């Protein structure tokens, strides 16, 4: 019953409170591997609303499930989505923000094995998705990052690194993530 109630509230939120995600480059999607690690409820919540906050995704799966890493989405479900970039390449991002919530945001390279940030964020917004503005700045939904030149041998193997878009709505107290799996051409 408890599970049912939780799922219902997630499904309800999906119809009313879509918030945002990355639409390009292709970002990680839920799938069978995520279901195994994080549970069917978690996959159902993301499928019901791919723009919802991490806080609305129930984690009924194993201890290996970390919703705060790539929204729980697994590399095994996304091997066809791995992008190849060159060091120094400018990568254009598109985001959709159906419901903005003011707060900081960034895109960083994440070491997926350790869930740590490699180097500095590639772009940072002190204030992002400010619902008090009549029109959001164009760079909230279309921006670019540059793949660093100093990654060395890091990020050459698929599944090692992702570009993680991370946005926190301060008043909403809601976190949003999308992960783009990538390799740097050796
Ligand atoms: C973004 O959200 C939309 C709407 O729910 C969904 O169709 C799409 O798969 C999501 N994409 C990502 C990368 O999360
Ligand atoms: C990126 O932004 C999120 C949300 O504001 C924040 O929690 C995180 O610490 C930031 N990451 C870096 C590396 O600054
Ligand atoms: C985004 O655009 C706004 C408005 O032009 C500007 O103030 C801000 O510095 C830009 N942010 C980034 C990270 O480029």
């Amino acid at each position: 019953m408890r599970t049912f109630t939780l799922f219902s509230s997630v499904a309800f939120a999906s119809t009313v409170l879509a918030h945002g995600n990355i639409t390009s480059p292709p970002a990680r999607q839920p799938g069978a591997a995520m279901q195994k690690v994080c549970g069917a409820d978690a996959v159902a919540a993301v499928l019901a609303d791919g723009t919802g906050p991490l806080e609305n995704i129930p984690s009924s799966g194993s201890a290996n499930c970390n919703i705060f890493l790539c929204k729980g989405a697994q590399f095994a479900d996304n091997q066809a989505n791995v992008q190849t970039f060159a060091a120094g390449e400018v990568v254009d991002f598109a985001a959709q923000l159906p419901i903005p919530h003011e707060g900081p945001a960034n895109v960083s390279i994440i070491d997926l094995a350790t869930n740590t940030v490699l180097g500095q964020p590639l772009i940072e917004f002190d204030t992002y998705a400010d619902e008090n503005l009549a029109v959001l700045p164009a760079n909230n939904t279309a921006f670019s990052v540059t793949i660093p030149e100093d990654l060395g041998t890091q990020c050459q193997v698929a599944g090692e690194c992702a570009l993680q878009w991370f946005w926190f709505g301060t008043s909403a107290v809601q976190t949003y993530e999308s992960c783009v799996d990538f390799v740097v051409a050796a």
Side-chain angles (χ1 to χ4, degrees):
M1 269 306 145
R2 189 185 149 79
T3 306
F4 179 73
T5 308
L6 194 56
F7 177 72
S8 300
S9 66
V10 168
F12 176 72
S14 75
T15 53
V16 190
L17 293 171
H19 308 269
N21 66 14
I22 292 297
T23 55
S24 179
R28 272 195 190 185
Q29 299 283 343
M34 176 174 169
Q35 177 152 336
K36 203 167 178 185
V37 175
C38 290
D41 286 356
V43 170
V46 177
L47 290 178
D49 182 3
T51 70
L54 305 183
E55 288 80 2
N56 282 1
I57 304 171
S59 172
S60 51
S62 69
N64 290 334
C65 175
N66 183 359
I67 296 293
F68 280 76
L69 173 62
C70 299
K71 219 150 79 173
Q74 302 292 307
F75 175 65
D77 291 325
N78 288 278
Q79 300 188 42
N81 294 329
V82 179
Q83 306 295 299
T84 301
F85 300 130
E89 182 173 342
V90 175
V91 178
D92 294 334
F93 273 76
Q96 57 172 349
L97 301 170
I99 300 186
H101 298 290
E102 196 281 329
N106 54 52
V107 173
S108 303
I109 297 179
I110 303 293
D111 177 325
L112 292 159
T114 57
N115 191 12
T116 53
V117 174
L118 293 181
Q120 299 299 310
L122 304 184
I123 189 169
E124 284 182 283
F125 297 86
D126 296 334
T127 175
Y128 185 77
D130 184 352
E131 67 272 37
N132 297 309
L133 299 176
V135 178
L136 292 179
N139 65 11
N140 283 201
T141 49
F143 55 85
S144 304
V145 305
T146 303
I147 303 299
E149 308 263 10
D150 61 356
L151 285 170
T153 56
Q154 297 175 115
C155 306
Q156 291 181 357
V157 176
E160 201 182 325
C161 296
L163 291 166
Q164 183 170 258
W165 172 79
F166 196 142
W167 159 39
F168 181 71
T170 304
S171 300
V173 198
Q174 290 179 333
T175 313
Y176 304 88
E177 277 181 9
S178 289
C179 275
V180 175
D181 284 291
F182 77 101
V183 292
V184 174

